Amino acid sequence: MTYLKQQDSPVFYKILNNNEVLQVTKKLHSIGISVHSRLLQELFSGDTVEIQKEEFIAAYSEVKRELINQNVLQEEEKEAFLSEVFQEWADSYFPGNPEAEFIKEAVFTSMKDFSPKILGLFTSNMFKKQLRSWCSHNGYNFQDRILKLVNGKTTEHIRVTPLH
């Protein structure tokens, strides 16, 4: 995935595919998907610089938060936004963690730290619902409430394993 920023303005881009670009404009607090190859040509013409995923997510989250605060987004859009940020976290967390079993508290903390102002609002139930949905969508099996004794203390684990 490629993330770009216009050099002299607060406009961020995420290249979705060959003809779609997610454009985030902080100054105008707007988000939209552009579908024309001319914009893609302009993006790679030299007026933009490649940025880290985290910088794009920060800008995207800031704009979404502002739109939510202004009640511009409907409930369904708010839910879709939360799911999108959660998916960004899960996509980066689980493929990088080949273990099949995780201490639930550590995973939950990692998710909240990924985007404290957005995912920090998640409850344990919201977390399980989103993770179950992510696993289903990405070909993983999700198991919850696995209790194990770790260093003399009972801890709750979750298991995320690929479906075979």
Side-chain angles (χ1 to χ4, degrees):
M1 196 71 60
T2 304
Y3 301 90
L4 301 167
K5 178 185 177 197
Q6 278 189 349
Q7 287 181 344
D8 298 325
S9 68
V11 180
F12 298 80
Y13 304 99
K14 177 180 179 181
I15 309 302
L16 303 174
N17 56 42
N18 287 339
N19 59 2
E20 287 185 329
V21 177
L22 177 62
Q23 180 175 324
V24 175
T25 308
K26 289 170 71 174
K27 199 171 196 176
L28 302 174
H29 296 291
S30 65
I31 295 172
I33 295 179
S34 300
V35 187
H36 37 81
S37 58
R38 194 178 66 193
L39 175 60
L40 284 170
Q41 289 172 339
E42 290 173 14
L43 286 177
F44 294 109
S45 69
D47 191 28
T48 56
V49 292
E50 193 162 342
I51 59 171
Q52 296 294 315
K53 176 181 179 179
E54 292 76 23
E55 187 177 351
F56 176 84
I57 290 173
Y60 183 76
S61 297
E62 181 182 326
V63 172
K64 279 288 195 172
R65 221 178 12 264
E66 184 62 30
L67 293 172
I68 288 170
N69 289 341
Q70 294 172 6
N71 291 320
V72 174
L73 298 179
Q74 302 299 322
E75 276 309 310
E76 306 83 49
E77 291 174 304
K78 289 178 187 176
E79 222 172 275
F81 167 60
L82 290 175
S83 294
E84 198 172 302
V85 175
F86 183 89
Q87 182 175 341
E88 290 271 354
W89 166 77
D91 286 349
S92 65
Y93 186 84
F94 289 106
N97 285 290
E99 300 173 32
E101 207 165 272
F102 306 89
I103 297 174
K104 182 179 177 182
E105 186 178 330
V107 177
F108 190 59
T109 300
S110 168
M111 180 223 34
K112 287 183 164 207
D113 290 346
F114 181 77
S115 179
K117 293 183 178 177
I118 304 299
L119 298 178
L121 305 174
F122 268 43
T123 63
S124 181
N125 285 337
M126 290 169 70
F127 169 73
K128 284 192 290 189
K129 180 182 174 187
Q130 289 289 329
L131 187 54
R132 189 170 280 121
S133 174
W134 180 86
C135 284
S136 174
H137 184 263
N138 290 287
Y140 288 94
N141 184 35
F142 172 70
Q143 290 177 282
D144 190 27
R145 301 211 37 90
I146 301 166
L147 300 177
K148 290 196 165 197
L149 195 61
V150 176
N151 297 329
K153 182 180 175 190
T154 302
T155 58
E156 187 175 350
H157 288 67
I158 59 172
R159 185 174 292 141
V160 176
T161 55
L163 292 173
H164 295 294

